[in-house]
């Protein structure tokens, strides 16, 4: 995260996210690995045309021509050609390591294949001991706030240290987006803290650490379910007296399958757009899924640039 | 489950569920434990007035008067008074054991407290060795089919035997509701079968057993995520060639937190009504949550009566 002054007000939606992205000065420099697929190419061309970011593109030799055509249409875009797709990924990582790029973005390359050089111990982007995690920002029509949640992509079953990292990354992101004191819900099917219920003792520890200031300005509450976290009426019926209940800005899930279920459910059943970014790396990494809306690729890029 | 002939066509929605419930002959006899809360009382009075079910009500002595008033307004309703709330729960279970009731329904009593006599080894409703589980039926506007899923309430982390029971209960329910060959999705965040990914080897076994006929007429597929299970477009983009993808009737979740997340998300964010029933007991048991819509109590009762 950069030490930027807070924008002074909370984010109201994805239009607001895009407006802030377009207004950034100086522009962020985005390294895109293999923008050979149509959706990635479209995002690069749109942002280049608007001038909302600067681009460095890496590409494997046998697809260099189609990427050079993008640069031809948008003066200022630099193209770096590598022997093959793995070398193009390594080159993208290297450009970020050298400080020539602020954000790394995945194009027409498999996520695992891009992550190999990102996670390389000697030449990668993850400092030793740092936890890699993933945050997702969404706006569901039925809820007045934007929701940030973790981890729907990287950590299958967080340990205590990984839970702390997930809290740090989501809370830092909320701060960066202008929310001075995010309300964070630790998600579970129960409201009881009891050794019978996995994670709930860890949750109690995290809440104590948060109250002691370990994560900066925030309010952490739970365990509670997704409905209790977002629906004040439901929280009242259940008699839950927490400043987080019904007003959550952040949802922390105890297991990837639950976070993924939330992601896929609001994406498909609520047609909610998503922005997702990898955290813990020295620069934000954008790894959109093939099944995401095209607009989600643009939102993800905008979010990464604003961190 | 009863050996009733199939209704001959799939359920189209909750209106259809209610229509079938109201048309049942003979009427089911429903034992309601402590109908002392307003929502339960309203459901009992509505169904009694319509004649869609018969009722036996048990109640603790100090609230007997308010329950007798219900019976006064609806001739045919029987009231059984017990010393205290636990005795009223035990009496409700006993009425079902004696064959005087077909369905047990929770009223103004804590779920744990009702389940104690239900699960009592000598006098309860769960035969030895039988798996207790919970199924939920929902209709989300964005999806053309009704969805049945498990287990959002009872089994925290299913073992292989419990997975098999969840399949049996959901598939038997689909058959009972007129779906001759339900499509069942085994939910996961990955599509890969690999020992690195918990449950996926179990999933492969379950799919094999299903193909061999272990669960009757059905098609079981997975691992796949919720969006792949319900969105044909998303399945196509991912290149997933499964007769279940994009057309699921049933979702089996690998962990309660994920099922609960699905339940609470579609309930709150999609305003989807729910019907939930306990399975594995000798008679269906209805345990609505306080945070459910009132209409969900009626739908749950209707579903239980149709099993």
């Amino acid at each position: 995260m950069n030490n930027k002054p807070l924008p002074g007000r909370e984010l109201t939606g994805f239009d607001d996210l895009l407006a802030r992205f377009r207004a950034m000065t100086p522009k962020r420099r985005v390294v895109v690995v293999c923008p050979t697929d149509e959706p990635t190419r479209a995002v690069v061309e749109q942002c280049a045309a608007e001038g909302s970011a600067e681009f460095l593109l890496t590409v494997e030799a046998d697809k260099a021509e189609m990427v050079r055509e993008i640069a031809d249409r948008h003066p200022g875009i630099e193209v770096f050609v590598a022997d093959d797709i793995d070398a193009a990924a390594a080159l993208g990582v290297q450009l970020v390591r050298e400080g020539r790029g602020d954000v790394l973005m995945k194009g027409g390359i498999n996520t695992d294949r891009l992550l190999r050089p990102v996670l390389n111990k000697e030449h990668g982007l993850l400092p030793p001991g740092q936890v890699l995690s993933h945050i997702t920002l969404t706006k569901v029509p039925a809820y007045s706030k934007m929701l940030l949640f973790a981890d729907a992509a990287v950590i299958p079953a967080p340990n205590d240290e990984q839970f702390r990292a997930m809290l740090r990354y989501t809370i830092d992101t909320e701060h960066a987006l202008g929310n001075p004191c995010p309300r964070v819900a630790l998600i579970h099917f129960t409201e009881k803290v009891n050794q019978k219920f996995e994670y709930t003792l860890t949750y109690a520890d995290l809440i104590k650490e948060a109250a002691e200031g370990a994560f900066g300005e925030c309010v952490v509450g739970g365990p509670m379910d997704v409905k209790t976290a977002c629906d004040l009426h439901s929280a009242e019926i259940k008699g839950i007296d927490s400043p987080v209940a019904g007003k959550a800005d952040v949802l922390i899930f105890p297991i990837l399958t639950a976070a993924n279920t939330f992601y896929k459910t609001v994406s498909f059943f609520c047609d909610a757009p998503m922005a997702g970014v990898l955290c813990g790396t020295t620069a934000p990494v954008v790894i959109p899924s093939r099944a995401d809306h095209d607009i989600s690729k643009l939102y993800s890029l905008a979010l990464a640039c604003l961190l």
Side-chain angles (χ1 to χ4, degrees), chain A residues 3 43 85 109 120 124-125 148 169 189 196 230 244 262 301:
Chain A
N3 290 313
V43 167
I85 197 164
I109 178 172
N120 182 287
L125 301 178
L148 186 70
Y169 299 155
F189 57 80
K196 269 198 326 191
C230 300
V244 175
F262 182 74
L301 177 60

Side-chain angles (χ1 to χ4, degrees), chain A residues 124-179:
Chain A
L125 301 178
L126 191 71
Q130 191 80 348
V131 173
L132 185 75
S133 182
H134 184 268
I135 58 169
T136 314
L137 183 68
T138 188
K139 178 73 185 68
V140 189
Y143 190 49
S144 63
K145 297 181 168 203
M146 296 201 88
L147 271 172
L148 186 70
F149 61 98
D151 175 326
V154 174
I155 305 172
N159 61 27
D160 289 7
E161 187 203 349
Q162 290 168 323
F163 269 121
R164 284 188 190 97
M166 287 158 65
L167 279 171
R168 270 200 313 277
Y169 299 155
T170 51
I171 291 166
D172 285 353
T173 299
E174 285 286 314
H175 291 161
L177 296 176
N179 184 349

Side-chain angles (χ1 to χ4, degrees), chain A residues 4-28 50-53 137 146 173-180 301-303 305-307:
Chain A
K4 295 188 305 289
L6 290 178
R9 57 171 185 78
E10 282 185 53
L11 203 62
T12 57
F14 281 110
D15 286 346
D16 189 12
L17 185 85
L18 287 187
R20 292 185 190 189
F21 169 53
R22 288 170 181 148
M24 289 184 87
T25 51
K27 300 301 168 197
R28 286 279 185 274
E50 291 172 358
S52 43
L137 183 68
M146 296 201 88
T173 299
E174 285 286 314
H175 291 161
L177 296 176
N179 184 349
L301 177 60
L303 174 61
C305 287
L306 285 162
L307 295 183

Side-chain angles (χ1 to χ4, degrees), chain A residues 52-266:
Chain A
S52 43
E54 296 176 5
F55 288 96
L56 297 85
L57 313 178
T58 76
V59 63
E60 63 269 39
D62 59 358
K63 292 191 177 165
E65 210 43 53
M66 66 189 290
V67 171
R68 281 211 185 90
E69 280 169 19
I70 304 173
D72 288 346
R73 283 192 291 274
H74 304 278
I77 289 187
E78 289 182 80
V79 177
F80 300 80
V81 179
D83 286 345
D84 57 21
I85 197 164
D86 292 311
L91 187 54
V93 169
Q94 190 190 326
L95 288 167
V96 173
R97 276 181 68 96
E98 288 171 356
R100 299 178 66 182
D102 305 305
V103 166
L104 186 70
M105 182 173 181
K106 178 185 106 148
I109 178 172
N110 187 288
T111 300
D112 293 345
R113 221 156 170 179
L114 175 61
L115 287 186
R116 221 171 296 143
V118 168
L119 302 181
N120 182 287
K121 285 200 173 116
E122 279 176 66
H123 309 291
L125 301 178
L126 191 71
Q130 191 80 348
V131 173
L132 185 75
S133 182
H134 184 268
I135 58 169
T136 314
L137 183 68
T138 188
K139 178 73 185 68
V140 189
Y143 190 49
S144 63
K145 297 181 168 203
M146 296 201 88
L147 271 172
L148 186 70
F149 61 98
D151 175 326
V154 174
I155 305 172
N159 61 27
D160 289 7
E161 187 203 349
Q162 290 168 323
F163 269 121
R164 284 188 190 97
M166 287 158 65
L167 279 171
R168 270 200 313 277
Y169 299 155
T170 51
I171 291 166
D172 285 353
T173 299
E174 285 286 314
H175 291 161
L177 296 176
N179 184 349
C181 185
R183 297 168 198 251
V184 181
L186 302 174
I187 300 299
H188 207 290
F189 57 80
T190 185
E191 281 98 35
K192 298 183 187 116
V193 174
N194 189 313
Q195 63 181 10
K196 269 198 326 191
F197 298 116
E198 214 180 340
Y199 326 113
T200 61
L201 298 182
T202 296
Y203 282 5
D205 288 342
L206 296 172
I207 289 168
K208 188 161 167 285
E209 291 166 25
E212 290 165 357
F215 307 107
E217 282 294 313
C218 65
V219 189
V220 180
M224 66 179 75
D225 65 45
V226 170
K227 192 170 180 178
T228 307
C230 300
D231 179 20
L232 209 52
H233 178 65
S234 174
E236 283 168 2
I237 288 178
K238 288 190 162 191
I240 291 164
D241 180 28
S242 159
V244 175
K247 298 175 186 170
D249 300 299
V250 174
L251 309 179
I252 301 290
F253 288 91
I255 190 154
L256 201 158
T257 305
N260 181 270
T261 293
F262 182 74
Y263 186 114
K264 301 303 166 99
T265 302
V266 298

Side-chain angles (χ1 to χ4, degrees), chain A residues 267-268 271-274 288-298:
Chain A
S267 168
F268 176 59
D271 204 24
M274 300 285 174
S289 151
R290 286 162 300 167
D292 281 339
H293 291 264
D294 285 352
I295 192 79
S296 286
K297 293 186 172 62
L298 176 60

